[in-house]
């Protein structure tokens, strides 16, 4: 018996008690529920910081000052064309992303976006590239990503996030700055995305 026959035989054995007329729609699959998180916003901030990202909590009134601090020293800043006007910071030269080529994105100092939601359990930021979030390349190529997340966008667990997201939209899940390790397990940052992630948690 070759490997293919062995695999098919095991499948037949596993399915031998299933009625021939049963379809997947006839079977109810229990959904996993995320544990209740007492303080999702606090846990989210803690987990994001664990990834060596900078997390700053502020009120809407404090946001302009916190934005200015996060972007101190940034010369040219990429912004989505539909970024809300109240998020346009003073100081950097704002460069609208009119589908700039990768070489142009790489020449910029950073990018400023909003987010779709944050996941407390994992410290993950999810972008579905809707209004204010930019396209995927725009958030992966510049060396600095400043991301504004509202506290009402933070959900407890991954299953909560999946339930809230549209599966037909493109998604980018970000857990800290881009990093990997070499063969000697030395951390190397900025390999496949921004080297620096700065999260402004507003609310």
């Amino acid at each position: 018996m070759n490997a293919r026959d062995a695999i098919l035989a095991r499948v037949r054995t596993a399915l031998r008690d299933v009625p021939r007329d049963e379809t997947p729609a006839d079977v109810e699959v229990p959904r996993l529920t995320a544990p209740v998180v007492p303080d999702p916003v606090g846990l989210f901030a803690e987990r994001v910081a664990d990834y060596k990202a900078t997390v700053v909590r502020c009120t809407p009134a404090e946001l302009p000052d916190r934005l200015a601090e996060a972007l101190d020293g940034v010369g040219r800043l990429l912004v989505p064309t539909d970024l809300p006007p109240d998020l346009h910071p003073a100081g950097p030269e704002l460069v609208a992303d009119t589908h700039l080529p990768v070489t142009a994105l790489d020449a910029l100092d950073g990018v400023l976006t909003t987010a779709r939601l944050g996941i407390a359990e994992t410290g993950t930021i999810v972008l579905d590239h809707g209004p204010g979030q930019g396209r995927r390349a725009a958030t992966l190529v510049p060396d600095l990503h400043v991301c504004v997340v509202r506290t009402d966008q933070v959900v407890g667990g991954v299953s909560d996030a999946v339930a809230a997201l549209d599966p037909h939209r493109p998604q980018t899940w970000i857990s800290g700055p881009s990093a990997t390790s070499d063969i000697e397990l030395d951390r190397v940052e900025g390999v496949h995305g921004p080297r620096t992630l700065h999260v402004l948690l507003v609310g």
Side-chain angles (χ1 to χ4, degrees):
M1 179 181 290
N2 60 32
R4 178 179 179 276
D5 292 335
I7 292 169
L8 291 175
R10 292 182 70 178
V11 170
R12 290 187 194 98
T13 300
L15 296 176
R16 66 183 169 206
D17 60 344
V18 176
R20 286 189 170 275
D21 59 347
E22 185 176 278
T23 67
D26 299 325
V27 180
E28 183 177 349
V29 179
R31 291 196 172 271
L32 296 176
T33 56
V36 176
V37 179
D39 178 17
V41 175
L43 180 60
F44 174 74
E46 180 184 320
R47 293 283 165 86
V48 173
D50 282 345
Y51 286 121
K52 297 190 175 181
T54 299
V55 184
V56 175
R57 296 185 66 169
C58 64
T59 65
E62 295 168 333
L63 180 58
D65 289 338
R66 300 296 85 82
L67 265 175
E69 292 168 2
L71 297 168
D72 184 38
V74 172
R76 301 180 71 223
L77 180 71
L78 183 70
V79 294
T81 55
D82 53 3
L83 186 73
D86 61 327
L87 291 183
H88 286 197
E93 175 191 347
L94 303 186
V95 179
D97 182 21
T98 53
H99 290 280
L100 299 173
V102 172
T103 51
L105 296 177
D106 192 42
L108 298 170
D109 298 313
V111 59
L112 170 63
T113 73
T114 59
R116 173 64 180 83
L117 52 79
I119 306 174
E121 186 178 35
T122 60
T124 301
I125 296 165
V126 183
L127 310 180
D128 66 3
H129 305 284
Q133 298 171 52
R135 57 192 170 111
R136 181 168 291 158
T139 59
L140 292 176
V141 178
D143 203 46
L144 166 69
H145 182 188
V146 177
C147 189
V148 178
V149 182
R150 299 190 319 271
T151 54
D152 63 1
Q153 293 179 300
V154 178
V155 298
V158 174
S159 58
D160 298 317
V162 172
L165 292 166
D166 180 350
H168 299 100
R169 292 193 61 84
Q171 297 173 17
T172 302
W173 291 47
I174 302 167
S175 296
S178 167
T180 187
S181 60
D182 62 18
I183 196 169
E184 295 177 349
L185 300 182
D186 292 325
R187 182 180 172 92
V188 181
E189 299 177 350
V191 176
H192 48 266
R195 192 186 317 270
T196 305
L197 174 65
H198 197 117
V199 179
L200 297 176
L201 192 52
V202 185

